[in-house]
Amino acid sequence: MGRTIRTCSLALALALAAAPVAAGAATTVVTRSSPARIFVSARAAQEAGDARRAAVLYAMLAQGDPASPVLSARAIGQAIIAGDMPLALRLSRARPARDLAVDARLLLAADALKSGKGAEAIGADWPEELAFLSPFVRAWSAAERGRWKDAVALLDAVPSDRSLAQFVPEHKALILLGAGRSAEARPLIESALAAAGGRANRLRIAFAAGLLRDGDRAGAQALLQGRDITLVRASQALARSGKPRLPIATAAEGFAELLAGLAVSLGDNDRRSLPIAISRIAQYADPANDEVRVLLGLLLEQSGRSDDAIATLRAMPEGSPFLSQARDAEVRSLLRAGRKDEALARASAFVASGEASAEDWSRLGDVNDEMKRHAAAAEAYGRALALVEAGGPGPEAWSLNLLRGASLEQAGSWPEARKSLEAARALAPDNATVLNYVGYARLTRGEGVEEAERLIAEASRRDPDNAAITDSLGWAQYKRGRIDEAIVTLQRAAAAEPADPEINEHLGDALYAAGRRFEARFAWNAALVTAEDEAKTRIEAKLAAGLTPAVAAP
């Protein structure tokens, strides 16, 4: 059962480690290199993810060729991605507004809003491609001047078929809460949260602060109910405060929140540069927006800039409600970069500092599991489970029982594993993942194979499109001698996950048992591409000598 580090709730689910280019070094390049060589170096730095160096080199070229809008746009774009806003602003202000790309215009708007110059954020030359943002910027500018009715009217005029219409309820609610109109904001809060996706926690915290400021402590607490440690920490912070400041109240903060939503929407795009740029601008507009820090870290990691991602995430303030999300994302980035020992050291440090939460222990379990330290993983999951059972925040008890049971099973402690797995099943009797894991674990040990198949079949009924569960069902059919039926089921699983080594090995075994040996070898070869350790050795033996009991899949 594959498991990965839990990421933060952002779907999407995104400090620089790249060394800055010293001014002296930049001058040396100019004197010794031709513009063509500098351009090649700039492109190479850009492709390597060294946005700061690329920005400096492009800026040099733009200075030497001030008439070129392309060089200037590249310099500004790379400066924004690097988080070098002084350079990006200086270059942007040096160009005619009509020549500026979208990212530069957004940065200038953010700078104007930060400076309290809302009227200058959108000028007469505001580009058509950004017109969809205008009602929100104008609304927040009006709200900042106390004209909340005008602000609401501007948002009400946004057509329901426009791309940003989904953000209207949240911004109306935030503006109304800022004006002390909580009664009018309450009907909007539910629809805003329903459309927020992974940004829901950030909005819950902001809405709760607004309700509390207006005297509705019960309503504020209701928004922060749940086991999520982010909400628990926010609830504790609000409980300690008298009249909290609204985290999204100014025009710059509202603009940053809008950009965060836009970046999340664009995050699935193969080109990460625009979402990263938008997140950087959002962070510039509202440096206190911790959600944006996590979002930026995730986007940087997904684009292969692991050093930048880790530096960004490590800068999360210790007291932030989003600290656990940042730690999850940091450790995940370290693992994906192959820095497993460092990931283990960080996860271990988190549980050693202060009062470790169930999330901290569970994260340590995930790292140990990734490193195949199964006994240590089981111990960490057990510590997390104890905290949750004692009433602390964190993952659901059933999921921790499942993770602990799976780790114990892989550590060779089946009797103890069985107890944890059955505890998970008792707590989540209808959960397809639990049913599948319990059934498959029994199946591979020959314990009550009829009941095992029944559990897996029920899991498949509840989640018919899950390839791992379909594979389990096919393997149960194979184990019970229904070879032809198993082949059909396993072929369906392989079609859904063609690169999965376990599915392909199961299919190969079933095909071989049916006498279809050429097809079996094809399936085993497909499995061999991604198989590891014992599975790889077993498949190689089958390819060499065919299927025997000694090399059959477990």
Side-chain angles (χ1 to χ4, degrees), residues 212-235:
L212 185 58
R213 279 178 60 87
D214 215 22
D216 186 0
R217 182 169 292 274
Q221 290 175 339
L223 283 173
L224 302 179
Q225 290 297 310
R227 305 193 53 80
D228 190 302
I229 194 168
T230 300
L231 298 181
V232 170
R233 285 179 170 166
S235 179

Side-chain angles (χ1 to χ4, degrees), residues 38-58:
I38 296 174
F39 182 80
V40 170
S41 297
R43 284 298 303 271
Q46 181 178 347
E47 291 299 318
D50 189 349
R52 186 183 298 277
R53 176 172 172 78
V56 170
L57 293 173
Y58 281 131

Side-chain angles (χ1 to χ4, degrees), residues 473-490:
L473 181 60
W475 198 235
Q477 292 162 348
Y478 172 82
K479 288 281 192 177
R480 302 200 66 201
R482 304 199 305 275
I483 306 300
D484 291 341
E485 183 181 358
I487 289 172
V488 173
T489 304
L490 292 168

Side-chain angles (χ1 to χ4, degrees), residues 292-374:
V292 168
R293 187 180 301 280
V294 176
L295 173 61
L296 178 60
L298 290 171
L299 287 169
L300 288 167
E301 191 271 330
Q302 290 168 6
S303 69
R305 296 176 170 91
S306 60
D307 286 343
D308 289 353
I310 292 163
T312 297
L313 295 163
R314 285 184 181 174
M316 181 68 73
E318 284 292 322
S320 170
F322 293 89
L323 181 62
S324 185
Q325 291 190 21
R327 288 176 170 179
D328 281 346
E330 178 197 338
V331 170
R332 174 178 175 268
S333 186
L334 287 168
L335 288 174
R336 288 190 59 174
R339 296 157 64 178
K340 293 185 178 182
D341 289 339
E342 189 176 350
L344 180 60
R346 291 290 288 173
S348 299
F350 296 149
V351 301
S353 60
E355 296 183 3
S357 68
E359 290 282 358
D360 291 324
W361 281 108
S362 187
R363 184 186 308 111
L364 179 59
D366 288 342
V367 175
N368 278 304
D369 176 75
E370 179 73 16
M371 297 177 71
K372 302 188 186 305
R373 294 159 46 98
H374 302 303

Side-chain angles (χ1 to χ4, degrees), residues 177-178 208-216 242-246:
L177 288 170
L211 292 177
L212 185 58
R213 279 178 60 87
D214 215 22
D216 186 0
K243 191 174 184 180
R245 180 193 178 278
L246 294 175

Side-chain angles (χ1 to χ4, degrees), residues 106-140:
L106 290 176
L107 177 60
L108 289 176
D111 189 62
L113 293 172
K114 279 188 70 172
S115 305
K117 302 175 182 177
E120 298 178 16
I122 300 178
D125 56 357
W126 187 250
E128 181 63 30
E129 60 264 37
L130 292 178
F132 66 104
L133 296 174
S134 298
F136 293 87
V137 177
R138 296 183 192 280
W140 277 104

Side-chain angles (χ1 to χ4, degrees), residues 326-522:
R327 288 176 170 179
D328 281 346
E330 178 197 338
V331 170
R332 174 178 175 268
S333 186
L334 287 168
L335 288 174
R336 288 190 59 174
R339 296 157 64 178
K340 293 185 178 182
D341 289 339
E342 189 176 350
L344 180 60
R346 291 290 288 173
S348 299
F350 296 149
V351 301
S353 60
E355 296 183 3
S357 68
E359 290 282 358
D360 291 324
W361 281 108
S362 187
R363 184 186 308 111
L364 179 59
D366 288 342
V367 175
N368 278 304
D369 176 75
E370 179 73 16
M371 297 177 71
K372 302 188 186 305
R373 294 159 46 98
H374 302 303
E379 169 65 20
Y381 291 133
R383 296 288 293 270
L385 180 61
L387 290 170
V388 166
E389 290 179 336
E396 295 290 341
W398 70 262
S399 68
L400 291 171
N401 271 298
L402 179 63
L403 291 168
R404 180 173 181 270
S407 295
L408 287 167
E409 180 205 12
Q410 293 176 82
S413 302
W414 172 239
E416 193 177 356
R418 186 196 297 114
K419 293 178 183 177
S420 282
L421 294 175
E422 289 300 337
R425 183 184 169 200
L427 291 168
D430 299 326
N431 185 284
T433 300
V434 173
L435 292 169
N436 177 62
Y437 200 99
V438 174
Y440 190 77
R442 287 185 179 184
L443 183 71
T444 56
R445 285 165 179 78
E447 291 187 3
V449 292
E450 184 176 350
E451 171 67 4
E453 184 181 358
R454 187 191 69 77
L455 293 174
I456 295 168
E458 177 60 17
S460 182
R461 186 185 71 80
R462 292 180 178 277
D463 192 359
D465 297 326
N466 187 310
I469 295 176
T470 303
D471 170 62
S472 296
L473 181 60
W475 198 235
Q477 292 162 348
Y478 172 82
K479 288 281 192 177
R480 302 200 66 201
R482 304 199 305 275
I483 306 300
D484 291 341
E485 183 181 358
I487 289 172
V488 173
T489 304
L490 292 168
Q491 284 175 331
R492 182 157 52 91
E497 291 288 347
D500 187 286
E502 187 172 10
I503 293 174
N504 281 303
E505 184 184 6
H506 285 167
L507 177 57
D509 284 14
L511 288 165
Y512 193 95
R516 296 161 63 175
R517 300 191 173 185
F518 178 80
E519 294 170 86
R521 292 181 64 82
F522 183 85

